[in-house]
Amino acid sequence: MRNGKSLYYISKGLFSIYFLYSQFLKNVVVSIPHMSQILIVLALVSFLIYKKRITIYKEVMTLFVFGLLTLAMSAFAVDTKIAFTYSQLIIEYVVAIFLIILYSVVDESINFSASLFVILGVIISIWMLMFGVGLNRISFSEDVNVNIVGTILAFSIGYVLFLLLSNKIGTKKVVFSGAIIVLLLFSALSTASKKCLIASAILIIVFILFCYRRVFDKSNPLYAFLITLSLILIAFIAFYYITTQYGDRLLYAQARMDSILEDKSTQKRYDLIIEGLSVFSKNPIFGVGINNFRYYSSFNTYSHCSYTELLACTGLAGTFLFAAPVFSSLKNVVLLGKKTPKKTLDKSRIVFVFFMLLVLLFVCWTQIIIYTSALMYVLGTIIAFVYVEKRKNTVVNQ
């Protein structure tokens, strides 16, 4: 039994290395060909040996069929090489989602996956603070787009807040979490990614409005007041330090937010969406192949919107396959919310995950989920959360 359980921990360890390597290490330390694929396969094999059986989840199967469809259609794309490469990456992301669900079901929580994402966000934030690259918009590597960095940081904040919605909460954990959020938020500001700053703000506001009081349900009101005061103090000290040491970053981020509706990038994204819909109208069934919209666009790039990219590159067939797990998760989270009693920690968790999914859909308006492994990871944790909560409800009702 002990040896069997060790295989489970080995699998999680390999997955952790895979995630940190693919998201960070390969861009700042060393990039080894096919290392990501090797690590994810080893993690899956280790788990299967541990479990000795496999459970097929319909969302994973649907996404896997989506990946196989994109792989098959890559043969008909203008650039078969880029289509084939990105199709392989999609299948890799689906395997990662599968493992996230498997770990979550065994652990009966998504805390492992959420914590791993937070660790990534903290590592990136510290690296950006010490070795960040860029002038007005800071990234942790010249090879990584600042918007992707902003996405990771925004959802890292979300996962920190989710982990606070625990049955076991202490003073140190709350204050430490507050400090981490300040660090992540500063790094997100450094990227000056408009959508990610909005996403971060939404997640924080939702937590304050719907979840914060549940953290202290079983605590003395004085304790809750002192903790809240400590967090406010941390925020004020951090704000003073940042404005005095890094005021230029704040001013640039503010300037970008002020011009959100009228800057050139917003107009370009709008034009790309129109072109994407035009390409889809001419190739409605299977599209033009993954990441091949760029060859039909006057801008020679992807459409900068998940929805038009899916339609243009995979047609109705691919879009339906990808959308099915997303809408299924949305429906299931809503149903879980209706079944869960109000004013409970469980209810707060469900409400927060519901808004995380909405924020994910919002970010997908300007970022391509099927090309961004961090967004696919977030989708995987939401799907896993649904399965964990369903199993809990089943046990309670038996």
Side-chain angles (χ1 to χ4, degrees), residues 167-287:
N167 290 320
K168 296 180 180 179
I169 197 73
T171 306
K172 291 181 181 179
K173 181 177 180 180
V174 177
V175 174
F176 184 62
S177 297
I180 290 177
I181 289 172
V182 169
L183 173 65
L184 295 170
L185 194 54
F186 165 69
S187 300
L189 283 166
S190 298
T191 69
S193 175
K194 292 173 287 188
K195 59 183 171 292
C196 295
L197 292 176
I198 294 171
S200 301
I202 292 172
L203 291 171
I204 292 171
I205 291 169
V206 165
F207 183 83
I208 292 172
L209 292 178
F210 300 106
C211 307
Y212 185 70
R213 70 177 65 180
R214 299 279 80 84
V215 174
F216 303 104
D217 267 350
K218 299 179 181 179
S219 304
N220 187 300
L222 179 61
Y223 169 81
F225 172 76
L226 292 174
I227 291 295
T228 303
L229 196 63
S230 301
L231 294 175
I232 293 172
L233 186 62
I234 289 172
F236 270 108
I237 294 172
F239 180 76
Y240 174 77
Y241 177 77
I242 291 168
T243 51
T244 54
Q245 299 294 321
Y246 303 95
D248 53 333
R249 297 191 191 181
L250 295 180
L251 289 173
Y252 186 75
Q254 182 182 349
R256 280 179 56 81
M257 294 300 292
D258 289 342
S259 62
I260 192 168
L261 296 177
E262 55 189 31
D263 66 352
K264 293 181 180 179
S265 64
T266 300
Q267 181 60 45
K268 180 181 177 181
R269 291 176 190 279
Y270 173 78
D271 293 338
L272 281 165
I273 288 173
I274 298 301
E275 284 191 347
L277 294 174
S278 175
V279 171
F280 162 67
S281 67
K282 297 171 185 176
N283 306 270
I285 307 301
F286 295 109

Side-chain angles (χ1 to χ4, degrees), residues 298-317:
S298 60
F299 295 96
N300 298 315
T301 184
Y302 51 90
S303 68
H304 287 68
C305 174
S306 291
Y307 309 113
T308 50
E309 188 78 6
L310 279 165
L311 287 169
C313 295
T314 69
L316 288 172

Side-chain angles (χ1 to χ4, degrees), residues 115-157:
S115 300
L116 185 57
F117 205 99
V118 173
I119 290 170
L120 173 66
V122 171
I123 290 173
I124 288 175
S125 295
I126 294 173
W127 190 271
M128 286 172 64
L129 193 63
M130 298 175 64
F131 311 108
V133 297
L135 295 175
N136 294 317
R137 306 186 68 188
I138 312 301
S139 176
F140 68 85
S141 170
E142 292 179 355
D143 298 326
V144 182
N145 185 283
V146 287
N147 293 313
I148 292 177
V149 179
T151 295
I152 293 172
L153 296 169
F155 282 104
S156 293
I157 291 171

Side-chain angles (χ1 to χ4, degrees), residues 282-298:
K282 297 171 185 176
N283 306 270
I285 307 301
F286 295 109
V288 297
I290 283 294
N291 213 350
N292 267 240
F293 164 76
R294 60 180 67 239
Y295 301 108
Y296 298 82
S297 168
S298 60

